[in-house]
Amino acid sequence: MATEGTYYVPEQSKLPIFASFGLFLTVFGAANWINGSDNGPMMFMAGGFVMAVVLWNWFSTVIDENMNGLNSPQLKRSYVWGMGWFIFSEVMFFAAFFGALYYIRNFSLPWLAGEGDHSSMTPEVLWPGFEAHWPLMTTPDMAANGEAAKVLGPAQNMSGSTVENVWSWLPLWNTIVLMTSSVTVHFAHTAIKKDNRKGFNLWLGITVLLGFIFLGLQAEEYIVAYNDMGLTLESGAYGTTFFMLTGFHGAHVTMGTIMLLVMWLRSMLKGHFKSDDQFGFEAASWYWHFVDVVWVGLFIFVYVFG
Amino acid sequence: MLKQAKSCFAWLLGLSFTSQFALADDVKRWGVNMTQGVTDVSREIYGLHMDIFWWCVAIGVVVFGVMIYTMIAHRKANGAKAANFHESTTLEILWTVVPIIILVIMVIPATKTLIKVYDTSEPDLDVVVTGYQWKWKYEYLNQDVSFFSSLSTPQDEIYNRAPKGPNYLLEVDQELVIPTKQKVRFLITANDVIHAWWVPDLAVKKDAIPGFINESWTYVEEPGIYRGQCAELCGKDHGFMPIVVRAVPQAEFDAWMNKKREAAAAIAEAAKQTLTFDELYAQGEAVYQKHCAACHQADGKGIPPTFPAIAGSPIANGDMRAHIDRVLNGGQGMPPFGEQLTPVESAAVITFQRNAFGNNTGSELQPIDIVNFKQGL
Amino acid sequence: MAHGPAKGITRWLYTTNHKDIGSMYLWFSFLMFLLGGVFALVIRAELFEPGLQIVEPEFFNQMTTMHGLVMVFGAVMPAFVGLANWMVPMMIGAPDMALPRMNNWSFWILPFAFAMLASTLFMEGGAPNFGWTFYAPLSTTYAPPSVTFFIFAVHIMGASSIMGAINIIATILNMRAPGMTLMKMPLFVWTWLITAYLLIAVMPVLAGVVTMMLMDIHFGTSFFSAAGGGDPVLFQHVFWFFGHPEVYIMILPAFGVVSAIIPTFARKPLFGYASMVYATASIAFLSFIVWAHHMFTVGMPIAGELFFMYATMLIAVPTGVKVFNWVTTMFKGSMTFETPMLFSVAFVILFTIGGFSGLMLAIAPADFQYHDTYFVVAHFHYVLVPGAIFSITAGVYYWLPKWCGNMYDETMGKMHFWMAFIGLNLTFFPMHFAGLAGMPRRIPDYNMMFADWNMISSVGAFLFGAAQLLFLYNVIATIVSGKKATDRVWEGSHGLEWTVPSPAPYHTFSTPPEVK
Ligand code: HEA
Ligand code: HEA
Ligand code: CUA
Ligand SMILES: [Cu+2]
């Protein structure tokens, strides 16, 4: 590590080239796997392993540098900017899927049903009998082709619950769990700022636990959907948007939980983070808040007004 | 530098001068401008095109004029000394406002034309246009007339083994016929991928989206033949799915429709007849060369792996129903021919495939079998 | 200086130096330009005359697709990132990029991504053949199996772009030398700041749309299938929400390069600096609300049609401000016409012509006649080739002496320019005519009425290609054996990058420079 003058200039690093190779191997393996090639899974696994090792080393290096006081305030600010813009890119990724949901509900389904003055002939010629409702239980294919339809809608959907049994409505519990975890992670933050190590560990531990609970409930929801509700990725536009939105969110919760877990272990085992220096944790908690905000969007647009 | 600017300018001027001649038929080879077309809408669009073009030329003359002047006048080699100004709010406002004014002037007629194009109400005739890979199907709504229209240019012309005719790639086996002086509405959709139905002379270009109906319309005053092409990349033969529209007076149109209906009745009638094996084989061979050889090749060897061989094919030598199903309903990459071939033709081509190229099932098929198959029997 | 570059291949594999990484980006981009150019030459050779001569339609479509993809994602974008890597730290007085290791990662993903993309040419069923815009369902249900590799290649090159953009933003916002306020930054830095913002906003959307494709192809979802309630047009909306900002991603840094070069050779400060900044920001903003001008014929409701027409036309205003500013910068200057200036002046003229045809396309009813014809092909090559490519070329000539310490051969540079200029106009100007006369794009064969224009285009393309070989030779000759360049290099040059020696030291600034 070279620190020249007031400026920070890192030395060479083997990490990026291995990371590129690992990333390539992962996606190349995934593509082969999906296309049915026998060595796909192996390549995918190997790539994932390389990535894991590289990331482990990469983060260790960054942490070591920081612990050794090599990071200038300027570099620390760069990390802050980096994380902030990364989260912005994630926002845009979700925006694409929310956009798709919006478009399907507000444009393509009504048009398929002949609403709007420029598509009145669509159902008449192509999908006789189709009506636009959300959640979409009867796909255009079913309306037009009955038994012979290839794309079937779900038997049941996830939306709104009646007032009486709202407490047995899983999405509500998921919301409560995730909202709470956003609060607890905030408590952890205030704790570490006051140098309250015990409080930090406790609140962060609870947050991680809540993350796992959320994931468990989400898994349960999927199992019920597939086994009992006839709701799958293949059940038309409803299943498509439901699983893609909640699925990507779930993947992000998994990522976030792992990040927070690592932070918790670092604090528990190594005593990392100080009252004036805890960006690693902060970055993870920003990510967590972001995931939480996405969920609120999901809860409203996928479940409540579903 | 000077030369460069000049040549640019010359290009622009060239464009504007030559465009004057573009309308004359005899310079078709060096066509430089948009067609005026044969409808009200197409002429309005042509007008918009020329308006915006002249605005651009005018702005170009001013901007490039100043540039050329300064490049001549303010060269260091000519002893020019650099001034030092670098701001002028007046100028900045001026060249923000003037373009806005020009844009507003343009946008008004454009909006009017667009509203006109979008008014598909009260048609006299509805035609459902469906894009297939790589042909068009035309169906006169509620008139019991429908047919396919595909490229009729021979392979030999495409592969430079025969001289090309004047309508090379712009000719079809069956034209779309519409009446003149009638509002014809096109209900455009597709069966597989997105295509676009475009006839420049009518200024109609609309994407054919599978699963949705897009509407467009035309009102042709003069009888004539108007040619166009598919305008959305739709796979291998995107360049080979032309459109030909023949506009005829109403009386002629009615007569044509009647002939079409009679022909349809004749086909239904023909499906009841029984043919001999030799008749089937001979007719089948003709159908094969016309419709199938492009992919499966004249010798039945195909182009594996993309297009399987018919010679020795498990399907052409196996279960008859599977064979019928493949031909009528298609498969991965194999287009469905059920609506395009008459029952007689289908029966013939299947019989042919099962007995040609060394295939030797000895089986034959009658048109009525096809009719029954289609009805699920 | 404490240390210089490491020796051997590991210098490039393990580097964290912005100059090394910049050079790698630029060389990679040039390689991709040649590859994309070879694909273009296959297209032009087939279109030389009517009939099918050289390639089958199936392969022709693969060429069109790969040409577009390689040029856009492999040639133009990496070239600008390369220029940013080299110049942004030098221009703002920073020692390096903000996140140097991630910088190297961003670069090294690219060779892998493009190797994967190019390998599809050898796969069963062939390479992607659905156009660089890959409209569903041609790119989903009807696509060759290699589409899966295409999707993952897009994913990782997107990741590379996002990381690159984050790095550039962090550098610009965080690493400026004391005194380098935002409104003192050179325009190249400004345009890149805004471009990077666009990149971070839209590359994830591209990732989203290819993910939807992947799901539709392999996991039975119905995003783009009407039978299940989706819509093929949804694909186009999401794609163009990315795609339109993408075209400005390819031109805003070009504006920056030209805004650096013209004042130097006019020996006069840039006219209207502040309005240039605001114009760039307006273009970026507008670029998010015009996407459906690529979709005027898909059958949108008329309200959408009108909205997108108006918004698109508005872009002419801030772009016009830029053109007028450049012209006024030249006005009453003391001009010389070295190679970078030649390319820049040609940029202004020819880009404007491309902008004019863009404005024509924006008139929705007229676009019904232009859409998917060679008129569109003419439009976007005018903004991309004499636009993006010329500005990159100008930038390379302009900064090459600073990079390698040697002066390029001016005569050869001028020859390159004139060959490129003539070749390009021969290639792309006739396309306006062919398009207006009714020639659709993406076709391997056509009626004789388009034959003459196509023949001219094809000849021009080979001339333009030959010019690029001259460029390659000139650059290599300069690096190996050019005359020594001065530190200032150009008589009229201003800015921090000209205050350091030529070649610029491996670590430019070890302490913050003084900014006046
Ligand atoms: C660098 C890339 C770039 C740039 C800068 C632009 C700039 C513009 N483009 Fe272009 N465009 C593309 C790349 C680009 N485009 C590509 C790649 C495609 C095709 C994609 C595909 O389908 O494969 C495309 C397609 C495309 C279409 C769709 C056509 C179709 O498919 O039917 C349209 C339609 O509106 C359009 C419009 C515009 C406009 C209005 C501008 C404006 O920004 C131009 C503004 C500039 C000027 C107008 C000139 C200077 C201004 C003045 C001198 C001021 C005064 C002028 C007036 C008031 C007239 N473009
Ligand atoms: C920045 C982007 C960029 C650039 C620089 C170019 C550069 C060129 N483009 Fe392309 N083009 C696109 C972006 C670009 N293009 C896009 C996005 C499309 C749409 C794709 C689609 O429809 O999906 C397209 C489509 C497109 C088409 C339409 C294809 C079709 O619709 O079927 C054509 C046709 O002529 C064409 C030609 C050319 C030519 C001749 C060049 C030339 O400028 C290339 C010059 C370079 C070289 C020639 C290589 C250098 C030289 C050598 C390798 C040495 C050998 C050569 C000799 C000795 C002569 N391009
Ligand atoms: Cu059908 Cu192109
Ligand atoms: Cu655009």
Side-chain angles (χ1 to χ4, degrees):
Chain A
M1 182 57 38
T3 323
E4 292 171 28
T6 58
Y7 272 152
Y8 151 86
V9 180
E11 49 197 17
Q12 290 200 325
S13 168
K14 294 185 180 146
L15 293 164
I17 184 83
F18 282 102
S20 306
F21 179 69
L23 189 60
F24 163 73
L25 208 57
T26 312
V27 295
F28 192 67
N32 272 300
W33 190 355
I34 291 175
N35 275 4
S37 153
D38 290 339
N39 40 24
M42 267 310 294
M43 270 194 266
F44 176 75
M45 252 54 117
F49 178 72
V50 174
M51 276 309 281
V53 172
V54 172
L55 286 180
W56 179 272
N57 278 300
W58 197 319
F59 284 117
S60 319
T61 313
V62 172
I63 293 164
D64 287 346
E65 284 169 8
N66 193 33
M67 307 289 281
N68 295 335
L70 291 171
N71 290 3
S72 64
Q74 188 173 48
L75 180 67
K76 288 181 183 170
R77 276 201 308 277
S78 290
Y79 284 137
V80 173
W81 281 115
M83 189 66 194
W85 286 96
F86 168 65
I87 289 180
F88 174 56
S89 80
E90 292 271 41
V91 170
M92 293 309 292
F93 183 77
F94 275 98
F97 287 90
F98 275 105
L101 174 67
Y102 173 78
Y103 182 89
I104 288 174
R105 285 179 63 169
N106 291 291
F107 297 108
S108 80
L109 288 179
W111 289 340
L112 283 165
E115 290 165 33
D117 52 327
H118 210 63
S119 45
S120 50
M121 298 299 285
T122 300
E124 196 174 322
V125 180
L126 298 171
W127 312 110
F130 176 69
E131 284 170 42
H133 293 295
W134 193 263
L136 180 73
M137 309 301 281
T138 308
T139 61
D141 196 9
M142 284 164 84
N145 300 322
E147 295 282 283
K150 296 197 188 85
V151 190
L152 300 176
Q156 294 169 53
N157 62 67
M158 290 288 173
S159 0
S161 192
T162 51
V163 182
E164 304 91 75
N165 54 15
V166 68
W167 294 115
S168 60
W169 191 37
L170 203 61
L172 182 71
W173 285 104
N174 260 337
T175 312
I176 293 170
V177 168
L178 216 51
M179 300 291 276
T180 315
S181 76
S182 232
V183 177
T184 55
V185 84
H186 179 70
F187 286 165
H189 192 197
T190 20
I192 193 70
K193 281 213 157 151
K194 292 197 197 112
D195 242 342
N196 172 359
R197 172 79 48 188
K198 255 174 77 190
F200 177 74
N201 288 347
L202 179 69
W203 286 117
L204 187 55
I206 294 176
T207 311
V208 172
L209 196 67
L210 289 170
F212 279 116
I213 293 174
F214 176 88
L215 287 171
L217 292 178
Q218 192 75 354
E220 167 69 12
E221 184 179 53
Y222 277 17
I223 292 168
V224 172
Y226 262 81
N227 292 344
D228 306 337
M229 300 171 72
L231 173 58
T232 70
L233 268 176
E234 280 152 60
S235 2
Y238 182 76
T240 298
T241 50
F242 173 78
F243 282 108
M244 291 306 285
L245 278 161
T246 56
F248 271 116
H249 177 262
H252 282 75
V253 175
T254 313
M255 282 285 301
T257 308
I258 294 173
M259 285 193 214
L260 290 176
L261 180 65
V262 171
M263 301 304 152
W264 186 69
L265 291 174
R266 279 174 62 189
S267 174
M268 290 289 284
L269 304 179
K270 302 241 169 116
H272 285 182
F273 307 124
K274 302 196 212 74
S275 58
D276 59 345
D277 189 5
Q278 13 63 12
F279 183 66
F281 161 73
E282 265 179 348
S285 76
W286 287 356
Y287 195 78
W288 194 251
H289 288 308
F290 151 71
V291 165
D292 198 35
V293 171
V294 173
W295 177 263
V296 174
L298 279 180
F299 184 62
I300 295 173
F301 293 111
V302 174
Y303 292 102
V304 177
F305 295 106
Chain B
M1 193 59 247
L2 182 57
K3 260 183 273 164
Q4 164 206 338
K6 260 191 189 155
S7 80
C8 249
F9 201 52
W11 275 115
L12 261 178
L13 281 183
L15 172 64
S16 46
F17 281 129
T18 35
S19 65
Q20 304 305 308
F21 306 110
L23 309 173
D25 271 357
D26 49 336
V27 286
K28 226 179 167 178
R29 256 179 91 79
W30 291 91
V32 287
N33 204 355
M34 183 189 285
T35 171
Q36 289 205 6
V38 296
T39 67
D40 230 21
V41 165
S42 74
R43 281 184 289 267
E44 265 183 38
I45 288 179
Y46 175 81
L48 284 174
H49 158 68
M50 289 317 284
D51 287 353
I52 184 78
F53 169 71
W54 285 117
W55 277 116
C56 289
V57 171
I59 297 168
V61 167
V62 174
V63 175
F64 303 149
V66 174
M67 259 182 104
I68 290 164
Y69 166 75
T70 188
M71 284 190 294
I72 300 167
H74 306 134
R75 295 179 156 242
K76 192 180 177 210
N78 297 349
K81 290 268 169 308
N84 198 29
F85 61 86
H86 54 85
E87 235 159 26
S88 160
T89 315
T90 329
L91 271 179
E92 299 278 4
I93 291 176
L94 187 76
W95 61 47
T96 309
V97 172
V98 172
I100 292 181
I101 295 173
I102 296 176
L103 294 177
V104 171
I105 295 175
M106 267 318 295
V107 112
I108 293 166
T111 305
K112 282 193 188 137
T113 305
L114 194 69
I115 289 170
K116 199 163 179 181
V117 173
Y118 261 67
D119 178 14
T120 51
S121 58
E122 295 170 33
D124 300 311
L125 176 71
D126 272 324
V127 184
V128 181
V129 178
T130 311
Y132 284 72
Q133 279 181 324
W134 294 281
K135 55 198 167 229
W136 295 98
K137 181 183 165 196
Y138 299 112
E139 182 185 351
Y140 295 79
L141 198 64
N142 306 327
Q143 311 256 350
D144 288 331
V145 173
S146 83
F147 56 89
F148 281 84
S149 171
S150 51
L151 180 75
S152 63
T153 303
Q155 293 285 308
D156 278 352
E157 286 186 23
I158 294 172
Y159 285 96
N160 309 307
R161 294 186 292 255
K164 301 179 181 12
N167 292 320
Y168 178 67
L169 297 185
L170 297 177
E171 49 203 351
V172 296
D173 51 1
Q174 299 199 69
E175 298 156 353
L176 170 68
V177 179
I178 57 168
T180 51
K181 299 202 168 30
Q182 295 278 312
K183 183 166 183 177
V184 181
R185 182 168 67 162
F186 302 109
L187 303 174
I188 301 170
T189 183
N191 176 60
D192 33 46
V193 300
I194 302 179
H195 305 260
W197 198 78
W198 179 35
V199 180
D201 280 323
L202 312 184
V204 172
K205 183 185 283 151
K206 205 71 172 186
D207 288 5
I209 316 272
F212 290 79
I213 297 277
N214 268 331
E215 300 179 14
S216 198
W217 65 277
T218 194
Y219 183 96
V220 184
E221 279 140 27
E222 291 304 316
I225 292 180
Y226 308 111
R227 296 173 198 277
Q229 279 177 273
C230 176
E232 180 62 61
L233 178 61
C234 52
K236 168 167 141 313
D237 283 349
H238 159 62
F240 304 89
M241 55 183 291
I243 296 154
V244 181
V245 177
R246 186 150 55 90
V248 296
Q250 182 73 44
E252 206 177 310
F253 176 75
D254 292 336
W256 177 84
M257 283 291 268
N258 281 333
K259 266 218 325 263
K260 274 284 170 196
R261 287 200 194 95
E262 281 160 24
I267 287 170
E269 194 56 34
K272 296 195 184 120
Q273 65 182 317
T274 312
L275 293 112
T276 67
F277 179 83
D278 290 342
E279 280 171 334
L280 284 167
Y281 190 91
Q283 201 178 341
E285 180 157 22
V287 175
Y288 182 85
Q289 295 306 344
K290 178 156 185 252
H291 291 289
C292 323
C295 297
H296 296 291
Q297 306 297 302
D299 57 6
K301 297 233 167 66
I303 318 175
T306 323
F307 303 117
I310 299 301
S313 139
I315 291 186
N317 290 295
D319 178 35
M320 174 80 91
R321 288 188 74 83
H323 194 171
I324 305 180
D325 181 57
R326 179 58 44 95
V327 176
L328 298 193
N329 299 325
Q332 279 287 329
M334 158 91 186
F337 280 92
E339 293 193 68
Q340 195 178 5
L341 300 178
T342 67
V344 176
E345 286 171 327
S346 304
V349 76
I350 294 172
T351 306
F352 171 75
Q353 284 192 336
R354 297 180 79 79
N355 295 287
F357 316 125
N359 295 348
N360 208 350
T361 59
S363 51
E364 68 173 67
L365 198 62
Q366 290 300 335
I368 193 72
D369 298 327
I370 301 288
V371 176
N372 288 339
F373 183 91
K374 280 187 181 170
Q375 284 162 358
L377 298 174
Chain C
M1 226 11 86
H3 54 242
K7 294 275 173 304
I9 179 79
T10 56
R11 163 175 178 189
W12 305 102
L13 294 180
Y14 303 158
T15 185
T16 50
N17 180 284
H18 72 105
K19 301 192 179 74
D20 284 350
I21 295 173
S23 304
M24 289 196 294
Y25 264 113
L26 287 167
W27 280 112
F28 174 78
S29 132
F30 196 75
L31 195 74
M32 287 296 121
F33 177 60
L34 293 188
L35 182 66
V38 169
F39 295 153
L41 292 181
V42 174
I43 296 174
R44 283 312 336 159
E46 176 57 51
L47 293 176
F48 181 69
E49 54 186 8
L52 292 178
Q53 290 86 19
I54 298 171
V55 295
E56 288 295 313
E58 180 58 30
F59 189 68
F60 183 90
N61 289 345
Q62 297 174 28
M63 287 292 104
T64 300
T65 308
M66 295 294 272
H67 164 66
L69 289 171
V70 167
M71 283 299 194
V72 169
F73 294 104
V76 174
M77 290 170 65
F80 282 129
V81 181
L83 290 178
N85 257 294
W86 256 102
M87 301 318 299
V88 167
M90 286 216 259
M91 286 175 158
I92 62 174
D96 204 300
M97 296 291 279
L99 302 161
R101 281 181 293 238
M102 191 170 84
N103 200 15
N104 191 26
W105 194 17
S106 307
F107 170 75
W108 274 107
I109 287 175
L110 288 181
F112 287 108
F114 280 88
M116 188 154 125
L117 186 62
S119 73
T120 58
L121 277 166
F122 308 101
M123 289 180 186
E124 188 165 339
N129 53 9
F130 29 64
W132 87 283
T133 52
F134 49 103
Y135 283 7
L138 185 62
S139 64
T140 55
T141 323
Y142 295 82
S146 62
V147 64
T148 314
F149 292 86
F150 157 81
I151 288 172
F152 282 110
V154 169
H155 269 134
I156 62 175
M157 70 180 79
S160 152
S161 288
I162 292 172
M163 288 193 287
I166 289 178
N167 218 333
I168 290 172
I169 294 196
T171 307
I172 297 174
L173 293 182
N174 190 32
M175 307 283 284
R176 275 169 290 130
M180 176 62 78
T181 58
L182 285 177
M183 289 312 269
K184 271 194 193 154
M185 295 193 310
L187 251 155
F188 179 70
V189 181
W190 256 115
T191 52
W192 242 116
L193 178 64
I194 291 168
T195 304
Y197 166 73
L198 288 182
L199 275 168
I200 301 177
V202 301
M203 291 311 284
V205 176
L206 175 67
V209 79
V210 292
T211 307
M212 293 178 201
M213 281 169 64
L214 185 77
M215 298 306 290
D216 266 17
I217 297 171
H218 294 292
F219 301 98
T221 54
S222 309
F223 282 109
F224 310 131
S225 142
D231 184 349
V233 175
L234 169 61
F235 172 91
Q236 299 181 27
H237 281 291
V238 187
F239 176 83
W240 286 115
F241 183 86
F242 146 80
H244 186 82
E246 167 70 18
V247 308
Y248 291 105
I249 287 167
M250 293 190 281
I251 206 69
L252 293 183
F255 292 164
V257 172
V258 169
S259 302
I261 294 175
I262 291 184
T264 297
F265 295 96
R267 291 169 183 75
K268 190 165 154 279
L270 183 69
F271 187 85
Y273 172 87
S275 70
M276 285 295 224
V277 173
Y278 301 137
T280 312
S282 324
I283 294 174
F285 168 75
L286 287 172
S287 77
F288 284 110
I289 55 165
V290 301
W291 75 87
H293 64 217
H294 297 271
M295 304 164 54
F296 282 141
T297 63
V298 298
M300 272 185 294
I302 191 165
E305 208 89 348
L306 290 172
F307 172 80
F308 287 109
M309 169 164 82
Y310 299 159
T312 303
M313 292 175 74
L314 258 186
I315 297 196
V317 176
T319 318
V321 168
K322 294 195 153 270
V323 171
F324 301 136
N325 279 331
W326 290 321
V327 176
T328 317
T329 303
M330 289 164 64
F331 198 76
K332 295 223 161 131
S334 165
M335 275 184 279
T336 52
F337 295 92
E338 285 87 343
T339 310
M341 182 66 163
L342 286 179
F343 275 102
S344 300
V345 172
F347 170 94
V348 176
I349 295 177
L350 300 181
F351 169 79
T352 303
I353 293 180
F356 286 156
S357 57
L359 199 66
M360 296 171 76
L361 293 167
I363 311 279
D367 185 66
F368 294 159
Q369 293 285 46
Y370 306 133
H371 177 66
D372 260 325
T373 67
Y374 264 78
F375 191 78
V376 177
V377 179
H379 156 65
F380 67 74
H381 281 96
Y382 261 82
V383 281
L384 283 168
V385 180
I389 299 289
F390 265 28
S391 77
I392 294 164
T393 315
V396 169
Y397 278 115
Y398 183 57
W399 285 308
L400 188 62
K402 178 57 60 188
W403 298 340
C404 69
N406 296 337
M407 200 64 197
Y408 64 86
D409 181 319
E410 192 62 58
T411 320
M412 223 191 301
K414 290 211 164 91
M415 230 158 80
H416 169 207
F417 169 75
W418 284 109
M419 267 170 80
F421 180 82
I422 294 167
L424 164 157
N425 283 296
L426 276 181
T427 314
F428 300 116
F429 210 86
M431 289 184 184
H432 291 110
F433 303 140
L436 289 176
M439 179 167 165
R441 59 193 279 210
R442 296 165 166 169
I443 57 172
D445 193 5
Y446 49 84
N447 184 275
M448 282 77 66
M449 65 181 157
F450 312 122
D452 307 290
W453 296 129
N454 273 289
M455 203 171 273
I456 297 177
S457 278
S458 294
V459 172
F462 280 83
L463 180 62
F464 186 80
Q468 304 315 316
L469 295 183
L470 192 63
F471 180 43
L472 179 64
Y473 175 79
N474 200 358
V475 169
I476 293 177
T478 310
I479 294 172
V480 182
S481 63
K483 292 202 306 289
K484 189 88 189 69
T486 60
D487 293 354
R488 193 66 194 288
V489 183
W490 311 107
E491 188 188 33
S493 53
H494 290 282
L496 283 178
E497 77 260 41
W498 308 109
T499 61
V500 299
S502 300
Y506 197 59
H507 297 291
T508 329
F509 302 106
S510 51
T511 50
E514 201 185 320
V515 179
K516 287 175 287 283

